[in-house]
Amino acid sequence: MDQVTQHNNQQAQRQAAMAVLAHAEAGEIAARLRDFVLPAHQDLRAPENGLVMLRGRVGGDGAPFNLGEATVSRAAVRLASGEVGFGYTLGRDGEKARLIALCDALVQSRDFGAAVERDVIAPLREQLMTARKQAAAETAATKVDFYTMVRGEG
């Protein structure tokens, strides 16, 4: 496999992991990581809170406009082996941002990547999918079909 393909696969794996971790609760991530013997790591960027501007478009193709601001937390972690992970999450949960950054760094590691995917990301993904299916089923149960009756007149 050439380097470009390998890099693209790693990026796709990291994006998929971040999508799951961003929707998980901090306590769930921490509970999954408790069973791990974590490698030495340091905070490159301590968890911090800030604001990001949310932008929108009218009709999806109109000119962009500033919709408002949202609070986010971010962190960066480096493993002793050199992998750097970044974590961002909506809200003011700095510990969750740090845990996401740690998982991001671990996913990139040759020694820990497969184990983190198997023992942390996959179970959280399954929980997320189950919750989404349940919410969809509850929503579908309230669906109302409207129709128009046509009268037989002229």
Side-chain angles (χ1 to χ4, degrees):
M1 185 177 337
D2 66 349
Q3 280 187 329
V4 173
T5 304
Q6 183 178 3
H7 176 73
N8 289 343
N9 289 342
Q10 185 181 32
Q11 285 298 104
Q13 180 184 10
R14 287 178 68 193
Q15 287 175 351
M18 294 304 101
V20 170
L21 292 168
H23 289 93
E25 297 293 326
E28 294 172 343
I29 300 169
R32 301 265 178 212
L33 286 175
R34 277 192 202 107
D35 297 336
F36 269 80
V37 177
L38 295 175
H41 59 279
Q42 68 179 19
D43 288 346
L44 288 179
R45 179 185 304 271
E48 60 186 10
N49 299 323
L51 295 171
V52 294
M53 182 60 67
L54 302 177
R55 298 191 48 115
R57 290 182 183 268
V58 176
D61 59 353
F65 64 94
N66 293 336
L67 183 62
E69 295 175 330
T71 305
V72 295
S73 297
R74 69 178 180 177
V77 172
R78 179 178 18 208
L79 300 181
S81 55
E83 293 85 0
V84 176
F86 300 93
Y88 290 85
T89 186
L90 282 173
R92 296 177 174 257
D93 194 347
E95 181 61 19
K96 181 177 175 183
R98 193 186 69 74
L99 290 170
I100 290 172
L102 179 58
C103 287
D104 184 34
L106 290 170
V107 163
Q108 298 173 64
S109 169
R110 293 183 191 268
D111 299 332
F112 295 95
V116 169
E117 177 63 38
R118 180 186 66 241
D119 298 336
V120 178
I121 308 297
L124 291 174
R125 183 179 293 119
E126 187 62 34
Q127 280 181 334
L128 180 63
M129 296 307 293
T130 301
R132 285 183 179 173
K133 285 179 184 176
Q134 182 179 358
E138 290 171 1
T139 303
T142 64
K143 181 180 177 185
V144 177
D145 287 324
F146 293 95
Y147 60 92
T148 304
M149 294 181 63
V150 178
R151 293 174 38 172
E153 299 172 359

